[in-house]
Amino acid sequence: MSLVKVELGARSYDIVIGNRIALSHLPENARGGKRLFVFDDKTYELYAGAFAERNEFCFSFGRGEADKRFDKMITICQAAIANHLDRSGELVAVGGGVTGDMTGFAAAIYLRGINFIQMPTTLLAMVDSSVGGKTAVDLPEGKNLVGVFHQPDLVLIDTEFLRTLPEKELHCGVAEVVKMAIGFDEVFFKRLEEMGGKLSKVESFMPDAEDIIRRSCELKADVVRRDETETVSGVRELLNFGHTFGHAMETLSDFSLSHGEGVAIGMVLAGRAAMMRNMWGEAEQMRMIKLLKAAGLPVDVPKTMDFKDILEVMRRDKKNRGGKITLILPRRIGELTVVRDFSDQELEQVWQSAVQGSYHD
Ligand SMILES: NC(=O)c1ccc[n+]([C@@H]2O[C@H](COP(=O)([O-])OP(=O)(O)OC[C@H]3O[C@@H](n4cnc5c(N)ncnc54)[C@H](O)[C@@H]3O)[C@@H](O)[C@H]2O)c1
Ligand SMILES: [Zn+2]
């Protein structure tokens, strides 16, 4: 088992990582109150039985991202009322990022805030969304537009959940792992390079899962410690590496491109942008591309997409400051920088160079 501490003063918490620990290492509710376990339909079907056997209250809010809505989040609060949770009660999210974001939001506002445990079941949630206290729901106008910061009291990561994870979802998580390595830790990047194709299949990923998740969580915890609420300019923002172009492509594909796939191609585009500014070399770009491909992720832009549409979506990005499109660019493996002075023409050049050159070899 591994332990990572998220140091946030009074809001500090532990991330505990291990195999088959979901039931055995869930501590008693220290406040003595009742607990409600929150799932989405899929994780409910797969895993609620094991919790129900122990007489825990289990509830599914719905289908996942399509139900990541305010009204569905309120049904979690209503289930808490129905099960008589008072202020000493606790919500436990058992699912991917959607379940975690919605349950965290409900825990933040139910009775003006109760305790909350993250038990992530996707790799993305294990390495990214369950750590850091961002909670949110979507609006018809866009994703994650309404939410609050509410840190969990514990993140309990049981790698055994990964055994049922579809490969595409594994790849999504690996894209964020690669992001953390390029952003913050060259030694970790080399470790991933050594794993290569083992990153692309659940079975070959499993032996290294705990170690990879631990390092990713340490890196994310450090960013969160330095900038808990994304107010220290440019610190937590760095986690958006690959996400500016990535999110735009994901949106324009009508979500046929997964988040992780968008981020993978987005990192390649950010690499191209950095090369234009002579900040990043061809050799490093090729190392990044080789690793992404080995992990089963795409690296080429969808050629059917139009740059004008991409630009429009990027302009609407809520992470922009003062109307300027923010790019997070790599300087070297292990270091990123925030850049806000790319003109539309330069962005178009980046896009067109990617449309023309592909990385098939
Ligand atoms: N709070 C944050 O800091 C943060 C960071 C990144 C992403 N997010 C959010 O996280 C969400 C994406 O998270 P995600 O990729 O985990 O998506 P998700 O929660 O939708 O899960 C993906 C799919 O996998 C299924 N699933 C979950 N665990 C499973 C398992 N063990 N076996 C089989 N199937 C399983 C789910 O039912 C779902 O269909 C987005 O809504 C995004 O906005 C939040
Ligand atoms: Zn992401």
PDB file of all heavy atoms in Angstrom, residues 248-261:
ATOM      1  N   ALA A 248     -11.296  21.748 -27.202  1.00  0.00           N
ATOM      2  CA  ALA A 248     -12.005  22.238 -28.392  1.00  0.00           C
ATOM      3  C   ALA A 248     -12.291  21.087 -29.362  1.00  0.00           C
ATOM      4  O   ALA A 248     -13.398  20.955 -29.891  1.00  0.00           O
ATOM      5  CB  ALA A 248     -11.174  23.324 -29.081  1.00  0.00           C
ATOM      6  N   MET A 249     -11.304  20.223 -29.556  1.00  0.00           N
ATOM      7  CA  MET A 249     -11.510  19.083 -30.476  1.00  0.00           C
ATOM      8  C   MET A 249     -12.542  18.111 -29.920  1.00  0.00           C
ATOM      9  O   MET A 249     -13.376  17.585 -30.654  1.00  0.00           O
ATOM     10  CB  MET A 249     -10.179  18.359 -30.728  1.00  0.00           C
ATOM     11  CG  MET A 249      -9.217  19.176 -31.568  1.00  0.00           C
ATOM     12  SD  MET A 249      -7.667  18.289 -31.882  1.00  0.00           S
ATOM     13  CE  MET A 249      -6.858  18.418 -30.308  1.00  0.00           C
ATOM     14  N   GLU A 250     -12.475  17.893 -28.602  1.00  0.00           N
ATOM     15  CA  GLU A 250     -13.438  16.996 -27.945  1.00  0.00           C
ATOM     16  C   GLU A 250     -14.863  17.528 -28.158  1.00  0.00           C
ATOM     17  O   GLU A 250     -15.773  16.793 -28.539  1.00  0.00           O
ATOM     18  CB  GLU A 250     -13.090  16.954 -26.449  1.00  0.00           C
ATOM     19  CG  GLU A 250     -13.869  15.977 -25.601  1.00  0.00           C
ATOM     20  CD  GLU A 250     -13.590  16.187 -24.088  1.00  0.00           C
ATOM     21  OE1 GLU A 250     -12.651  16.933 -23.714  1.00  0.00           O
ATOM     22  OE2 GLU A 250     -14.352  15.606 -23.290  1.00  0.00           O
ATOM     23  N   THR A 251     -15.037  18.834 -27.962  1.00  0.00           N
ATOM     24  CA  THR A 251     -16.357  19.453 -28.116  1.00  0.00           C
ATOM     25  C   THR A 251     -16.846  19.339 -29.555  1.00  0.00           C
ATOM     26  O   THR A 251     -17.980  18.947 -29.809  1.00  0.00           O
ATOM     27  CB  THR A 251     -16.287  20.951 -27.720  1.00  0.00           C
ATOM     28  OG1 THR A 251     -15.719  21.042 -26.424  1.00  0.00           O
ATOM     29  CG2 THR A 251     -17.663  21.595 -27.731  1.00  0.00           C
ATOM     30  N   LEU A 252     -15.957  19.683 -30.510  1.00  0.00           N
ATOM     31  CA  LEU A 252     -16.379  19.706 -31.916  1.00  0.00           C
ATOM     32  C   LEU A 252     -16.614  18.303 -32.479  1.00  0.00           C
ATOM     33  O   LEU A 252     -17.296  18.142 -33.482  1.00  0.00           O
ATOM     34  CB  LEU A 252     -15.338  20.433 -32.769  1.00  0.00           C
ATOM     35  CG  LEU A 252     -15.313  21.952 -32.565  1.00  0.00           C
ATOM     36  CD1 LEU A 252     -14.175  22.555 -33.356  1.00  0.00           C
ATOM     37  CD2 LEU A 252     -16.637  22.578 -32.987  1.00  0.00           C
ATOM     38  N   SER A 253     -16.053  17.299 -31.837  1.00  0.00           N
ATOM     39  CA  SER A 253     -16.261  15.932 -32.333  1.00  0.00           C
ATOM     40  C   SER A 253     -17.596  15.397 -31.821  1.00  0.00           C
ATOM     41  O   SER A 253     -17.929  14.244 -32.049  1.00  0.00           O
ATOM     42  CB  SER A 253     -15.141  15.012 -31.841  1.00  0.00           C
ATOM     43  OG  SER A 253     -15.351  14.662 -30.482  1.00  0.00           O
ATOM     44  N   ASP A 254     -18.356  16.246 -31.122  1.00  0.00           N
ATOM     45  CA  ASP A 254     -19.583  15.802 -30.470  1.00  0.00           C
ATOM     46  C   ASP A 254     -19.271  14.680 -29.485  1.00  0.00           C
ATOM     47  O   ASP A 254     -20.041  13.752 -29.298  1.00  0.00           O
ATOM     48  CB  ASP A 254     -20.625  15.319 -31.488  1.00  0.00           C
ATOM     49  CG  ASP A 254     -21.753  16.309 -31.587  1.00  0.00           C
ATOM     50  OD1 ASP A 254     -21.986  17.002 -30.574  1.00  0.00           O
ATOM     51  OD2 ASP A 254     -22.384  16.393 -32.663  1.00  0.00           O
ATOM     52  N   PHE A 255     -18.115  14.769 -28.925  1.00  0.00           N
ATOM     53  CA  PHE A 255     -17.632  13.836 -27.913  1.00  0.00           C
ATOM     54  C   PHE A 255     -17.404  12.412 -28.440  1.00  0.00           C
ATOM     55  O   PHE A 255     -17.343  11.465 -27.671  1.00  0.00           O
ATOM     56  CB  PHE A 255     -18.513  13.882 -26.656  1.00  0.00           C
ATOM     57  CG  PHE A 255     -18.491  15.245 -26.022  1.00  0.00           C
ATOM     58  CD1 PHE A 255     -19.485  16.171 -26.271  1.00  0.00           C
ATOM     59  CD2 PHE A 255     -17.411  15.628 -25.234  1.00  0.00           C
ATOM     60  CE1 PHE A 255     -19.424  17.455 -25.731  1.00  0.00           C
ATOM     61  CE2 PHE A 255     -17.340  16.919 -24.687  1.00  0.00           C
ATOM     62  CZ  PHE A 255     -18.346  17.818 -24.940  1.00  0.00           C
ATOM     63  N   SER A 256     -17.236  12.271 -29.779  1.00  0.00           N
ATOM     64  CA  SER A 256     -16.817  10.956 -30.280  1.00  0.00           C
ATOM     65  C   SER A 256     -15.317  10.803 -29.988  1.00  0.00           C
ATOM     66  O   SER A 256     -14.790   9.699 -29.888  1.00  0.00           O
ATOM     67  CB  SER A 256     -17.096  10.812 -31.776  1.00  0.00           C
ATOM     68  OG  SER A 256     -16.245  11.651 -32.506  1.00  0.00           O
ATOM     69  N   LEU A 257     -14.626  11.948 -29.878  1.00  0.00           N
ATOM     70  CA  LEU A 257     -13.244  11.946 -29.396  1.00  0.00           C
ATOM     71  C   LEU A 257     -13.345  12.019 -27.877  1.00  0.00           C
ATOM     72  O   LEU A 257     -13.991  12.914 -27.342  1.00  0.00           O
ATOM     73  CB  LEU A 257     -12.562  13.208 -29.929  1.00  0.00           C
ATOM     74  CG  LEU A 257     -11.062  13.202 -30.206  1.00  0.00           C
ATOM     75  CD1 LEU A 257     -10.697  12.149 -31.232  1.00  0.00           C
ATOM     76  CD2 LEU A 257     -10.631  14.579 -30.699  1.00  0.00           C
ATOM     77  N   SER A 258     -12.721  11.079 -27.187  1.00  0.00           N
ATOM     78  CA  SER A 258     -12.812  11.105 -25.728  1.00  0.00           C
ATOM     79  C   SER A 258     -11.945  12.236 -25.182  1.00  0.00           C
ATOM     80  O   SER A 258     -11.100  12.786 -25.896  1.00  0.00           O
ATOM     81  CB  SER A 258     -12.353   9.774 -25.153  1.00  0.00           C
ATOM     82  OG  SER A 258     -10.941   9.677 -25.253  1.00  0.00           O
ATOM     83  N   HIS A 259     -12.133  12.539 -23.908  1.00  0.00           N
ATOM     84  CA  HIS A 259     -11.348  13.606 -23.278  1.00  0.00           C
ATOM     85  C   HIS A 259      -9.846  13.301 -23.390  1.00  0.00           C
ATOM     86  O   HIS A 259      -9.052  14.158 -23.791  1.00  0.00           O
ATOM     87  CB  HIS A 259     -11.779  13.739 -21.812  1.00  0.00           C
ATOM     88  CG  HIS A 259     -10.991  14.762 -21.063  1.00  0.00           C
ATOM     89  ND1 HIS A 259     -11.184  16.111 -21.250  1.00  0.00           N
ATOM     90  CD2 HIS A 259      -9.996  14.643 -20.144  1.00  0.00           C
ATOM     91  CE1 HIS A 259     -10.346  16.779 -20.471  1.00  0.00           C
ATOM     92  NE2 HIS A 259      -9.619  15.906 -19.787  1.00  0.00           N
ATOM     93  N   GLY A 260      -9.476  12.069 -23.065  1.00  0.00           N
ATOM     94  CA  GLY A 260      -8.059  11.696 -23.080  1.00  0.00           C
ATOM     95  C   GLY A 260      -7.481  11.765 -24.488  1.00  0.00           C
ATOM     96  O   GLY A 260      -6.332  12.180 -24.677  1.00  0.00           O
ATOM     97  N   GLU A 261      -8.270  11.358 -25.476  1.00  0.00           N
ATOM     98  CA  GLU A 261      -7.801  11.433 -26.867  1.00  0.00           C
ATOM     99  C   GLU A 261      -7.586  12.883 -27.268  1.00  0.00           C
ATOM    100  O   GLU A 261      -6.581  13.226 -27.909  1.00  0.00           O
ATOM    101  CB  GLU A 261      -8.802  10.737 -27.798  1.00  0.00           C
ATOM    102  CG  GLU A 261      -8.806   9.228 -27.610  1.00  0.00           C
ATOM    103  CD  GLU A 261      -9.971   8.515 -28.307  1.00  0.00           C
ATOM    104  OE1 GLU A 261     -10.976   9.180 -28.665  1.00  0.00           O
ATOM    105  OE2 GLU A 261      -9.871   7.286 -28.457  1.00  0.00           O
TER     106      GLU A 261
END
